[in-house]
């Protein structure tokens, strides 16, 4: 009779163990296999509280919300890449957070998630027992060798594609020396993830219940956490330069800092990021639901198209300019750098993208760097796109990036399972961000092309050993569609490194360390990429503008325009001595709008494909080629009144001379001048007032401005443009501007009121003299 010689290893009269507090919410994913019940039975017998979910009847978000204490993925028919439903995504997400165990197909899912390939073994096994060899660690701790285990499979992970992050934990002995044959188990080197290809729950498998018991005694998301929990951290010996190891529950853990460690620095960084992100997402105000609420409130900064910005570079190759304080391979690079200040330099030099490294331990960056960089680009015409350069493995990081102001994110093919890559790519695009997909090998390029990535970055640096091969990009570019944008990443230090790229069809380059060390960013970029296709616009010697303020009669307005004034200011604040009533203001408005300039004003042409500073852009709004502009001056009046007056008088410019919020400038439909003292906050803030006016006291008093703080202000911000007022006359305007030395070029206009008056009234001769002196004195 069949089976008389078989040994039943099942617990025929099982005694259930006490409930385990650390296994109070174990999730078991059912891959539609009858053995799932047996797995469930063993887990419950060992004290776990288990909930079972079919692989196509639960979403990842639902699993996350259930906050499982452990994850077990069951056996099942088919291939892990096509038939495992949510299994691979769940393994990818929970790895590093909680203990994870995969059985049969579950083990194959682990193998696939971390980058291996599952293939046919050459034999079909159904209920066959084989003697198991193992490493006596993890689930095998304390178990004898050559255990009979039951196998139901025709697929298995292959030795040739075993990922660096995994190690073989059990196998079927092959050959007389007992060498490792078919892989029967894998274990992650740092994350608490185990997989068994055989069926520990089968009645023909010896010690199957002991294996699951060992698993349930594990704690945390990493072997290091497990060791700490059990108080089993050991002294790490160093012998003849061999890797340093610690043994915990029978599992040897290689020290990530050991030079000969098989665990790459990339894996170590990736693990640290998983732990940090997992901790962060538990903080109130930073939970996934909190971020989603912010996004629903439309609080993410405005974004631009990443691919479109790359296509509009003014250079033959586009530039992704990186902010990198340090790196694992080079150590400290520029630790004291200001990320937003560096970003502005990159933008003005012609960078198409600002790449911001946000990893804090090895690269010394942060999400706050990205947030500050994005704010520093506010108001730039044709600003660069902002890239979050990070080890991204979760939608949470992508949403965080968007809320901080990113226009795109980096997805590294090497670090992501294929289904995870697809999921993150799709999610990023739902937020309006086309990702930069990074590859290093032909196989990774094939995955990126199949994904449909519009922008692919080829990393010239091998992320495992950090060796650089600049020909990597040129070798891989032949494998992509013509419409795909390709850029070369890493290892580029000068013009000689990019000569061949354009002829090979490479669109651009990413440069980090060399730019961070460059003494002159603009010169370095010009030498690296070649000549720009556009003139930069030429703001070196713009004609100084003159504003005659406090105008009270149409005759004075006419005289000012005839003298060559560029702006005519009228005071619309009741109670001020220069206040003009509405009927007079309307008459002045008619004169200003109808009169032609005595001489056409030359305007500046800003480049179309290169970032232009906000104040350089807004300065052009004050240069009307054929007539003067009418400026209405207000002080602490209601916004609705200002808007009504602007419409009634056809004001070309509104000047705010009180304590109005700077945000009002975005609500007024014409350019806004706002009065500041040199030390007032918000003066140089981009994106609001078109120009700041620097004046002493309340204005119109004739009190002279102290030039020293003005000069200091302009020297600190070369992109700042101002209107200068305060005690100016025809006699002193030239000398005052001369005191500013080279900073005088940052003065767009001068403003005069009492300096062109005689006995309280505007004097036509003084107006003419002031305009002539100001225009000729620069």
């Amino acid at each position: 009779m069949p089976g008389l010689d078989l040994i039943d290893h099942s617990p025929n009269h099982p005694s259930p163990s006490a409930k385990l507090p650390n296994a109070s919410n174990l999730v078991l994913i059912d891959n539609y296999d009858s053995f799932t019940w047996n797995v469930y039975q063993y887990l419950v017998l060992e004290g776990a509280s288990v909930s079972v979910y079919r692989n196509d009847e639960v979403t990842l978000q639902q699993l996350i919300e259930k906050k499982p204490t452990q994850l077990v993925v069951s056996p099942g028919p088919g291939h892990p890449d096509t038939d495992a439903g949510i299994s691979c995504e769940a393994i990818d997400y929970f790895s590093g957070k909680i203990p994870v165990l995969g059985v049969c197909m579950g083990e194959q899912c682990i193998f696939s998630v971390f980058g291996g390939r599952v293939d046919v073994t050459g034999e079909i096994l159904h209920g066959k027992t084989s003697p198991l060899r193992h490493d006596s660690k993890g689930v095998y701790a304390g178990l004898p060798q050559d255990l009979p285990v039951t196998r139901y499979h025709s697929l298995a992970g292959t030795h040739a594609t075993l990922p660096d992050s995994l190690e073989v934990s059990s196998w079927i002995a092959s050959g007389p020396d007992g060498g490792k044959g078919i892989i029967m188990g894998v274990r992650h080197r740092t994350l608490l993830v185990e997989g068994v290809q055989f069926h520990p729950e089968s009645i023909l498998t010896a010690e199957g219940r002991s294996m699951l018991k060992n698993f349930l005694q594990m704690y945390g998301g990493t072997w290091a956490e497990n060791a700490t929990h059990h108080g089993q951290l050991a002294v790490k010996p160093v012998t003849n330069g061999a890797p340093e190891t610690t043994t915990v529950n029978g599992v040897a853990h290689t020290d990530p800092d050991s030079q000969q460690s098989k665990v790459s620095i990339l894996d170590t960084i990736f693990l640290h990021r998983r732990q940090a992100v997992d901790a962060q997402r538990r903080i109130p105000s930073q939970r996934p639901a909190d971020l989603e609420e912010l996004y629903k409130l439309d609080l993410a900064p405005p974004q631009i198209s990443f691919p479109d910005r790359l296509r509009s570079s003014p250079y033959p190759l586009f530039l992704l300019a990186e902010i990198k304080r340090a790196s694992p391979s080079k150590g400290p690079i520029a630790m004291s750098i200001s990320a937003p200040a560096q970003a502005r330099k990159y933008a003005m030099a012609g960078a198409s993208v600002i790449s911001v490294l946000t990893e804090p331990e090895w690269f010394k960056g942060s999400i706050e760097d990205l947030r500050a960089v994005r704010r520093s680009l506010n108001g730039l015409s044709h600003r660069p796109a902002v890239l979050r350069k990070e080890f991204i493995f979760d939608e949470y990081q992508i949403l965080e990036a968007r809320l901080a102001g990113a226009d795109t994110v980096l997805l590294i093919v090497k670090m992501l399972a294929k289904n995870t890559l697809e999921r993150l790519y799709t999610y990023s695009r739902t937020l309006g961000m086309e990702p930069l997909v990074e590859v290093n090998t032909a196989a990774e390029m094939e995955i990126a092309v199949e994904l449909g990535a519009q922008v692919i970055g080829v990393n010239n640096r091998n992320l495992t050993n950090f060796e650089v091969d600049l020909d990597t990009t040129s070798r891989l570019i032949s494998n992509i569609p013509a419409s795909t944008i390709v850029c070369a990443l890493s290892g580029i230090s000068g013009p000689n490194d990019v000569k061949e790229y354009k002829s090979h069809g490479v669109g651009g380059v990413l440069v980090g360390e060399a730019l961070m060390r460059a003494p002159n960013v603009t010169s370095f970029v010009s030498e690296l990429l070649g000549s720009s296709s556009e003139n930069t616009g030429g703001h070196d010697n713009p004609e100084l503008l003159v504003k005659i303020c406090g105008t009270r009669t149409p005759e004075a307005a006419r005289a000012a325009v005839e003298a060559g004034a560029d702006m005519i200011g009228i005071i619309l604040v009741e109670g001020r001595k220069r206040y003009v009533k509405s009927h007079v203001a309307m008459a002045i408005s008619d004169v200003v709008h109808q009169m032609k300039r005595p001489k056409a004003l030359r305007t500046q042409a800003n480049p179309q494909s290169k970032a232009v500073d906000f104040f350089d852009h807004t300065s052009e709004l004050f240069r009307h080629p054929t007539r003067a502009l009418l400026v209405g001056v207000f002080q602490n009046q209601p916004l609705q009144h200002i808007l009504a007056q602007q419409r009634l008088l056809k004001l070309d410019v509104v000047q705010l001379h009180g304590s109005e919020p700077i945000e009002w400038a975005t609500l007024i439909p014409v350019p806004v001048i706002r009065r500041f003292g040199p030390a007032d906050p918000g003066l140089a803030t981009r994106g609001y007032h078109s120009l700041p006016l620097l004046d002493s006291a309340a204005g119109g008093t004739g009190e002279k401005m102290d030039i020293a703080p003005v000069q200091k202000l302009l020297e600190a911000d070369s992109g700042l443009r101002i209107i200068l007022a305060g005690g100016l006359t025809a006699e002193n305007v030239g000398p005052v501007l001369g005191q500013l030395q080279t900073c005088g070029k940052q003065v767009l206009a001068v403003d005069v009121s009492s300096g062109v008056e005689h006995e309280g009234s505007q004097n036509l001769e003084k107006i003419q003299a002031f305009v002539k002196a100001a225009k000729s004195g620069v």
Side-chain angles (χ1 to χ4, degrees):
M1 181 176 179
L4 292 178
D5 58 341
L6 297 181
I7 300 175
D8 181 0
H9 294 290
S10 70
N12 293 305
H13 302 285
S15 299
S17 299
K19 288 290 185 182
L20 295 173
N22 69 302
S24 60
N25 188 24
L26 186 150
V27 164
L28 173 59
I29 295 179
D30 176 18
N31 284 307
Y32 284 85
D33 194 279
S34 59
F35 271 114
T36 303
W37 163 251
N38 303 69
V39 176
Y40 171 86
Q41 181 188 34
Y42 272 23
L43 290 169
V44 171
L45 286 173
E46 289 302 332
S49 298
V50 183
S51 299
V52 184
Y53 301 95
R54 285 274 173 84
N55 68 15
D56 58 354
E57 294 180 358
V58 65
T59 66
L60 179 61
Q61 186 57 42
Q62 288 171 333
L63 289 178
I64 293 170
E65 291 170 358
K66 296 181 187 303
K67 299 180 179 178
T69 52
Q70 292 90 0
L71 174 70
V72 178
V73 181
S74 85
H79 194 282
D81 292 344
T82 55
D83 304 299
I86 197 66
S87 299
C88 289
E89 288 185 69
I91 290 169
D92 183 60
Y93 178 82
F94 288 109
S95 293
K97 299 179 175 68
I98 59 175
V100 176
L101 174 67
V103 179
C104 199
M105 179 187 271
E107 186 264 0
Q108 295 169 9
C109 289
I110 291 171
F111 203 90
S112 179
V113 162
F114 290 101
R117 188 175 73 245
V118 174
D119 210 342
V120 294
T121 62
E123 56 180 341
I124 300 175
L125 301 167
H126 192 82
K128 173 181 172 59
T129 59
S130 301
L132 183 76
R133 295 287 177 91
H134 56 77
D135 59 7
S136 299
K137 305 167 189 174
V139 296
Y140 309 110
L143 303 183
Q145 294 294 338
D146 296 319
L147 287 168
V149 296
T150 311
R151 299 164 62 191
Y152 290 81
H153 68 100
S154 61
L155 303 173
T158 60
H159 285 283
T161 67
L162 180 72
D164 292 339
S165 59
L166 299 182
E167 60 186 359
V168 176
S169 57
S170 63
W171 59 94
I172 301 301
S174 175
D177 61 350
K180 294 182 180 180
I182 295 175
I183 296 173
M184 284 289 103
V186 293
R187 179 185 303 113
H188 199 282
R189 295 180 185 276
T190 52
L191 308 181
L192 209 164
V193 178
E194 290 244 26
V196 295
Q197 176 63 72
F198 57 91
H199 288 254
E201 76 284 0
S202 169
I203 64 171
L204 301 181
T205 296
E207 302 292 351
R209 183 170 166 183
S210 298
M211 296 176 195
L212 295 180
K213 180 178 181 179
N214 280 342
F215 171 72
L216 291 176
Q217 290 176 345
M218 297 172 187
Y219 178 88
T222 67
W223 295 113
E225 287 181 78
N226 183 55
T228 301
H229 176 75
H230 290 291
Q232 295 176 334
L233 286 176
V235 177
K236 295 181 274 187
V238 180
T239 307
N240 298 327
E244 302 175 8
T245 59
T246 301
T247 299
V248 181
N249 281 355
V251 179
H253 307 283
T254 307
D255 183 356
D257 297 325
S258 174
Q259 291 184 351
Q260 298 185 23
S261 170
K262 290 184 179 180
V263 180
S264 70
I265 187 65
L266 186 66
D267 290 326
T268 304
I269 297 171
F270 204 63
L271 168 61
H272 280 229
R273 292 307 293 144
R274 279 185 175 277
Q275 294 171 333
V277 171
D278 186 49
Q280 178 183 318
R281 59 189 294 142
R282 301 170 190 262
I283 300 172
S285 81
Q286 297 186 54
R287 297 166 299 190
D290 299 321
L291 268 57
E292 289 166 6
E293 185 63 25
L294 294 176
Y295 188 74
K296 288 177 183 177
L297 291 171
D298 205 22
L299 297 182
Q303 64 191 129
I304 61 176
S305 167
F306 172 48
D308 288 351
R309 186 61 182 86
L310 295 180
R311 292 188 181 100
S312 61
S313 171
Y315 292 101
L317 292 171
F318 59 74
L319 174 65
L320 294 87
E322 188 156 272
I323 295 172
K324 178 193 286 188
R325 293 193 179 92
S327 76
S329 59
K330 297 297 180 69
I333 296 171
M335 296 295 288
S336 61
I337 202 75
S338 164
Q342 189 76 355
R344 278 191 182 172
K345 291 180 182 178
Y346 289 167
M348 303 314 294
S352 298
V353 178
I354 310 295
S355 170
V356 185
L357 279 152
T358 60
E359 192 283 324
E361 294 183 76
W362 281 267
F363 293 92
K364 308 303 180 186
S366 70
I367 194 68
E368 290 307 315
D369 278 343
L370 190 145
R371 203 183 314 276
V373 163
R374 177 61 184 86
R375 290 184 62 189
S376 76
L377 303 178
N378 279 346
L380 293 188
S381 66
H382 205 62
R383 71 167 175 84
V386 177
L387 162 68
R388 183 181 192 182
K389 188 90 173 289
E390 175 63 277
F391 298 89
I392 288 179
F393 49 84
D394 194 285
E395 288 88 345
Y396 177 88
Q397 296 165 286
I398 298 175
L399 181 55
E400 180 187 43
R402 178 76 282 277
L403 288 168
D407 301 293
T408 181
V409 296
L410 178 71
L411 298 179
I412 306 173
V413 173
K414 179 180 178 63
M415 301 306 300
L416 299 170
K418 188 175 179 182
N419 58 345
T420 303
L421 175 65
E422 292 171 350
R423 189 184 79 237
L424 297 179
Y425 178 80
T426 300
Y427 179 74
S428 181
R429 295 193 71 188
T430 65
L431 300 184
M433 297 192 294
E434 175 66 31
L436 171 61
V437 179
E438 179 184 311
V439 304
N440 177 250
T441 67
E444 292 171 7
M445 177 65 85
E446 184 179 343
I447 292 172
V449 171
E450 183 181 341
L451 183 68
Q454 293 184 37
V455 186
I456 298 176
V458 181
N459 199 336
N460 293 316
R461 176 175 282 115
N462 185 307
L463 292 178
T464 301
N465 57 26
F466 290 100
E467 292 180 357
V468 174
D469 178 2
L470 292 176
D471 292 332
T472 304
T473 301
S474 298
R475 284 196 303 270
L476 297 184
I477 196 169
S478 60
N479 300 327
I480 66 161
S483 61
T484 305
I485 301 172
V486 177
C487 51
L489 316 179
S490 296
I492 297 163
S493 59
N496 291 334
D497 296 331
V498 302
K499 282 182 178 178
E500 302 298 321
Y501 282 152
K502 184 166 179 57
S503 62
H504 291 164
V506 177
V509 294
L510 181 143
V511 183
E513 180 187 350
L515 267 173
M516 295 294 285
R517 299 187 191 277
N520 187 307
V521 169
T522 301
S523 297
F524 180 91
V525 171
S526 181
E527 292 171 8
L528 179 75
L529 302 181
S531 299
S532 170
S533 60
E534 301 185 52
N535 187 296
T536 58
H539 291 275
D540 290 337
N541 294 293
E543 182 178 342
L544 183 70
L545 304 182
V546 175
K547 174 172 174 275
I548 304 297
C549 203
T551 303
R552 280 163 280 177
T553 65
E555 292 74 22
R558 182 174 288 106
V561 174
E562 289 175 345
D566 304 284
M567 290 176 273
I568 308 300
I570 52 176
I571 308 300
L572 300 173
V573 185
E574 288 190 50
R576 296 286 296 271
K577 66 179 182 178
R578 298 181 179 89
Y579 167 67
V580 292
K581 295 184 178 180
S582 291
H583 69 282
V584 178
M586 292 181 71
I588 295 173
S589 176
D590 289 341
V591 170
V592 174
H593 285 90
Q594 291 171 13
M595 283 192 68
K596 298 293 183 182
R597 285 179 176 276
K599 176 179 152 183
L601 182 67
R602 181 171 58 90
T603 58
Q604 304 283 340
N606 285 322
Q608 300 300 309
S609 299
K610 196 173 182 181
V612 174
D613 196 291
F614 177 74
F615 292 120
D616 276 335
H617 171 73
T618 55
S619 292
E620 294 310 302
L621 303 178
F622 297 88
R623 296 181 182 278
H624 196 290
T626 61
R627 67 173 178 85
L629 300 179
L630 182 63
V631 182
V633 181
F634 300 87
Q635 186 176 42
N636 299 327
Q637 291 154 282
L639 177 61
Q640 292 304 317
H641 172 74
I642 295 172
L643 295 175
Q645 289 291 97
Q646 187 276 321
R647 290 191 295 268
L648 175 67
L649 302 176
K650 300 177 183 179
L651 299 176
D652 300 301
V653 179
V654 164
Q655 180 173 320
L656 302 178
H657 216 78
S659 57
E660 300 87 352
I662 66 170
E663 293 96 330
W664 278 18
T666 65
L667 304 175
I668 296 172
V670 294
V672 172
I673 297 170
R674 193 181 191 284
R675 183 263 169 196
F676 290 91
D680 288 346
L683 184 153
T685 302
R686 272 73 166 172
Y688 296 96
H689 43 274
S690 302
L691 280 175
L693 181 143
L694 270 64
D695 197 358
S696 57
T701 62
E703 181 182 338
K704 291 183 179 179
M705 171 74 71
D706 183 358
I707 292 301
V710 177
Q711 182 174 359
K712 185 177 180 181
L713 176 71
L714 296 177
E715 287 175 343
D717 186 348
S718 62
L720 180 61
R721 303 290 179 264
I722 65 168
I723 298 176
L724 184 63
L728 295 177
T729 65
E731 292 73 28
N732 69 18
V733 64
V736 165
L737 292 172
Q739 292 178 50
L740 293 174
Q741 301 176 14
T742 57
C743 295
K745 296 178 181 178
Q746 294 174 246
V747 178
L748 175 82
V750 289
D751 184 307
V752 64
S753 180
S754 61
V756 293
E757 293 179 343
H758 177 69
E759 295 182 353
S761 298
Q762 285 183 313
N763 181 283
L764 303 187
E765 291 181 357
K766 283 194 171 187
I767 290 174
Q768 292 170 345
F770 183 86
V771 173
K772 183 178 179 180
K775 295 279 187 179
S776 62
V778 180

